[in-house]
C-alpha cells in the first residue's frame, strides 16, 4: 500500500472582494479544499464555518460593509494541520473579542464563539508597513533632513485546526 | 438560496434550501417579518434542505422568534443536520421549538 | 418563491505555485465553485477537467515543469455562463494546438481535446508589458536620449461554459 | 491517492482510490511497470473508487496496456463513472478491456 501526496505541503490562495455575495462561493471552495485534505465532512464543516464567520466580520467590521476591498484567504495544508490566513487592509482590531455567547435573544455577537469552537487555535496580527525617506542636502547644518511616513497596514487572522 | 412559501390551513410554511448566509439575510428577514405581521401567529420555517447556515442567519431566526413572541404566536423550526449542529453549538436549541420534519411540525400545532 | 443571489456576478481568484501536487486541491476548489453556481455535477466535472488539463499544460509546457512560478485562476460567475481566466508568466504559445485526438497508443496530446470537448469556448491571449524610460540631458544634441525595454508578459487562457 | 495491491491466484490486482492525476502518475506508473515485469501477464486495475482522472493518468493506463501487449498479457480495467466518461471522451474504450466490477474482471480471466 502506498499513499501519494499526503505529506506534501500545499498552498492555495483565494481572493475575493468585500461583497457579501462572494462569501458563499469562497466558503464552498474552502470546504472542498478541507474535504480534499482530510476526507472528513465534519472537519470541513468546522473550518468552513470558522472561515465564513471570520470573513463576514472582515466585511462588516474591518471594511464597514463597503464593497471593493480585497480579502485574501491563504489555505495551507501542513503535515498535521490546516492553517488559514485571512488578510484584510481595513480597520484593525485593538483586542480580540472574548469568545463568549451573548444573551439568547441578541442578534449578533456569536461569530467569535463559533470560530473558537470550530478550531484548535487562532491568532491575529497587525502588520504595519512604513517607508522612510531621507533627503540629503548639501550645505545644510546637520547634513540631512529626514521625512518619515507610515504607508499602509494589513490585518492577518490565522486559523489552525489539527487533523 | 431558494425560499418557497406555502400555507397549510392557518399555518404559514417557509421552505428554505441551499445556503442560508449573510448575503441572504435581508431578503429572508423581510419575508419572515411580513408573514409574521400578516399571519395567524403560526409559522413553520423548514430548513431540512439548508446545506449551510451562519451566525447572521441565526440572527434572522432569532428575530422571527422574537416577532412571534410579541404576537403571542408560535414558531416551529425544521432543521437539517448542518442547521441543527450550529443551533446546538450556539445553544439556541434551548429556546427554539424544533421538529424533526415538516409533517411533525404541522401536527404540533394541532396538539395544543 | 424568491431566489436570491442568482443574478449576481461573483469572482473568486485562486493562486497556486507551479507544482503538480497543487493541481488537485485547485481542481477540487474549482469543482466546488461550479457546483455552487450551477448545482450540476456534470457541469462541474466538465469545468474541473478542462481546468486541470489547462493547468497541467501550464506547469509542463509554459513553466517546463519548474516549481515556484505563479498560476492564477480567476473564476467568474456571470449571468449565463462561467468564465475562467488562467494566467501564467511562462513560455507563450505561438499558436493554439488543434484539439484533435492523437493515435490511440500515444501517451500525450489529449489535453486540448478534453478542454475543447468540455467547454463552449476558449481563447488565449499574450499580454506584453513594456516600460519606456526617457532620459533628458541638458546640453545634448537632440535634447534627450531614449532607452526602451520590454519588461514582462503574461499568458491568459480564457475558458467559457454556458449554464 | 491510495494504491492497494492484491493477488488472486496468478492475477495481480491494483486498487486505486481518490484522485488519479498528474501528481500521482510517476508512482503509479512505476508500480504498474514492476507488476507487469514480474507478473504472470494478468492484471486488473480497479478504479471503481477513483473520483477524478486526467489525461496524464490515462497515459499511465496506456503505458500499462502497451507493457502488457509486449508480454502477450491481458489488462482489465474496472472504472468509476468519472473514469469511464473520460475514457469514452478520449475514445480509449475502443482499446481497453473494461469490466463492470472486480469480480467480473477476475472471472473474465477464467473464461479464456
Ligand atoms: N475583523 C474585524 N475587524 C474589526 N472588528 C471586528 C472584527 N471582527 C469582529 N470585530 C468586533 O468584534 C465584535 C464581535 O464579533 P462577533 O463575535 O463576530 O459578532 P458580530 O460580528 O455578530 O457582532 C464585533 O461586533 C466587532 O466589533
Ligand atoms: N500552456 C502551454 N504553453 C505552451 N505550450 C503548450 C501549452 N499547452 C499546450 N502546449 C503545447 O501543446 C501541445 C499539446 O497539448 P495537450 O493537448 O495538452 O497534450 P500534452 O500536454 O499531453 O502534450 C503540448 O505538447 C505543448 O507543446
Amino acid at each position: 500500500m502506498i499513499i501519494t501526496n499526503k505529506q506534501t505541503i500545499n498552498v492555495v490562495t483565494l481572493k475575493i472582494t468585500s461583497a457579501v455575495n462572494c462569501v458563499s462561493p469562497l466558503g464552498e471552495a474552502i470546504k472542498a479544499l478541507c474535504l480534499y485534505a482530510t476526507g472528513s465532512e465534519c472537519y470541513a464543516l468546522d473550518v468552513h464555518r470558522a472561515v465564513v464567520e471570520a470573513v463576514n466580520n472582515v466585511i462588516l467590521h474591518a471594511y464597514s460593509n463597503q464593497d471593493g476591498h480585497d480579502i485574501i484567504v491563504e489555505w495551507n495544508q501542513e503535515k498535521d494541520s490546516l492553517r488559514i490566513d485571512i488578510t484584510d487592509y481595513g480597520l484593525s482590531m485593538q483586542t480580540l473579542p472574548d469568545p463568549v455567547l451573548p444573551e439568547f435573544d441578541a442578534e449578533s455577537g456569536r461569530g467569535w464563539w463559533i470560530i473558537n469552537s470550530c478550531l484548535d487555535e487562532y491568532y491575529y496580527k497587525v502588520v504595519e508597513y512604513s517607508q522612510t525617506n531621507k533627503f540629503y542636502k548639501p550645505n545644510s547644518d546637520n547634513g540631512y533632513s529626514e521625512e518619515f511616513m507610515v504607508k499602509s497596514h494589513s490585518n492577518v487572522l490565522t486559523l489552525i485546526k489539527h487533523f | 438560496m431558494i425560499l418557497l412559501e406555502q400555507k397549510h390551513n392557518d399555518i404559514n410554511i417557509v421552505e428554505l434550501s441551499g445556503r442560508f448566509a449573510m448575503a441572504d439575510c435581508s431578503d429572508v428577514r423581510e419575508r419572515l417579518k411580513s408573514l409574521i405581521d400578516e399571519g395567524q401567529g403560526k409559522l413553520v420555517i423548514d430548513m431540512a434542505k439548508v446545506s449551510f447556515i451562519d451566525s447572521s442567519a441565526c440572527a434572522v431566526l432569532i428575530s422571527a422568534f422574537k416577532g412571534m413572541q410579541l404576537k403571542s404566536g408560535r414558531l416551529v423550526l425544521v432543521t437539517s443536520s448542518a442547521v441543527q449542529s450550529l443551533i446546538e453549538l450556539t445553544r439556541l436549541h434551548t429556546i427554539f421549538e424544533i421538529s424533526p420534519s415538516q409533517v411533525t411540525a404541522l401536527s404540533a400545532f394541532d396538539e395544543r
Side-chain angles (χ1 to χ4, degrees), chain A, chain B:
Chain A
M1 171 179 170
I2 59 160
I3 301 174
T4 53
N5 275 340
K6 279 290 162 193
Q7 303 297 342
T8 48
I9 288 166
N10 283 325
V11 183
V12 178
T13 306
L14 303 101
K15 193 178 82 184
I16 60 167
T17 190
S18 54
V20 286
N21 55 295
C22 289
V23 182
S24 283
L26 174 77
E28 293 290 334
I30 288 290
K31 183 178 74 175
L33 288 169
C34 296
L35 205 52
Y36 164 76
T38 66
S40 159
E41 289 275 355
C42 240
Y43 184 105
L45 178 58
D46 275 345
V47 178
H48 182 184
R49 274 181 179 153
V51 169
V52 166
E53 296 298 334
V55 173
N56 282 348
N57 276 345
V58 167
I59 294 176
L60 282 183
H61 305 301
Y63 290 134
S64 311
N65 224 346
Q66 275 189 333
D67 195 355
H69 302 284
D70 282 349
I71 303 174
I72 293 161
V73 179
E74 194 184 275
W75 178 88
N76 296 272
Q77 179 181 1
E78 300 182 342
K79 222 172 79 90
D80 54 5
S81 61
L82 291 185
R83 197 188 81 233
I84 293 167
D85 292 325
I86 301 174
T87 302
D88 71 73
Y89 307 95
L91 280 176
S92 305
M93 285 188 278
Q94 304 303 312
T95 53
L96 272 184
D98 282 336
V100 289
L101 276 180
E103 288 299 297
F104 83 89
D105 60 349
E107 291 187 31
S108 67
R110 289 177 183 80
W112 287 102
W113 171 267
I114 295 171
I115 293 170
N116 186 60
S117 306
C118 290
L119 298 172
D120 292 314
E121 280 175 66
Y122 62 93
Y123 41 83
Y124 183 76
K125 188 172 70 176
V126 179
V127 184
E128 291 186 347
Y129 306 97
S130 63
Q131 182 181 315
T132 310
N133 297 300
K134 285 183 180 172
F135 296 100
Y136 292 85
K137 296 183 194 165
N139 310 323
S140 74
D141 274 356
N142 50 10
Y144 69 93
S145 71
E146 183 176 331
E147 192 182 301
F148 176 86
M149 55 170 161
V150 172
K151 286 281 289 180
S152 58
H153 73 281
S154 66
N155 309 311
V156 185
L157 176 65
T158 298
L159 311 176
I160 292 174
K161 193 173 175 76
H162 303 302
F163 294 142
Chain B
M1 84 165 319
I2 298 172
L3 186 154
L4 282 169
E5 290 173 27
Q6 273 179 270
K7 225 172 154 160
H8 177 86
N9 302 329
D10 55 351
I11 309 171
N12 283 306
I13 305 168
V14 173
E15 245 184 74
L16 303 175
S17 49
R19 293 178 65 96
F20 184 13
M22 198 157 74
D24 315 292
C25 283
S26 62
D27 282 357
V28 178
R29 184 186 289 269
E30 205 173 294
R31 281 311 302 141
L32 292 178
K33 188 179 173 337
S34 68
L35 282 176
I36 291 166
D37 288 352
E38 291 154 23
Q40 314 295 303
K42 298 179 182 180
L43 177 62
V44 173
I45 305 179
D46 184 347
M47 294 174 288
K49 292 189 197 135
V50 169
S51 58
F52 182 82
I53 186 171
D54 68 7
S55 70
S56 60
C58 285
V60 173
L61 298 177
I62 293 167
S63 147
F65 176 83
K66 291 194 291 190
M68 265 310 187
Q69 276 194 319
L70 282 178
K71 277 195 75 157
S72 307
R74 190 171 165 199
L75 168 68
V76 180
L77 306 182
V78 180
T79 58
S80 63
S81 72
V83 173
Q84 183 67 24
S85 61
L86 194 77
I87 283 180
E88 288 181 11
L89 179 61
T90 52
R91 309 284 186 267
L92 292 168
H93 61 298
T94 57
I95 62 152
F96 288 143
E97 181 176 351
I98 299 170
S99 200
S101 71
Q102 199 180 113
V103 175
T104 56
L106 292 173
S107 57
F109 283 97
D110 296 334
E111 281 159 24
R112 46 163 184 163

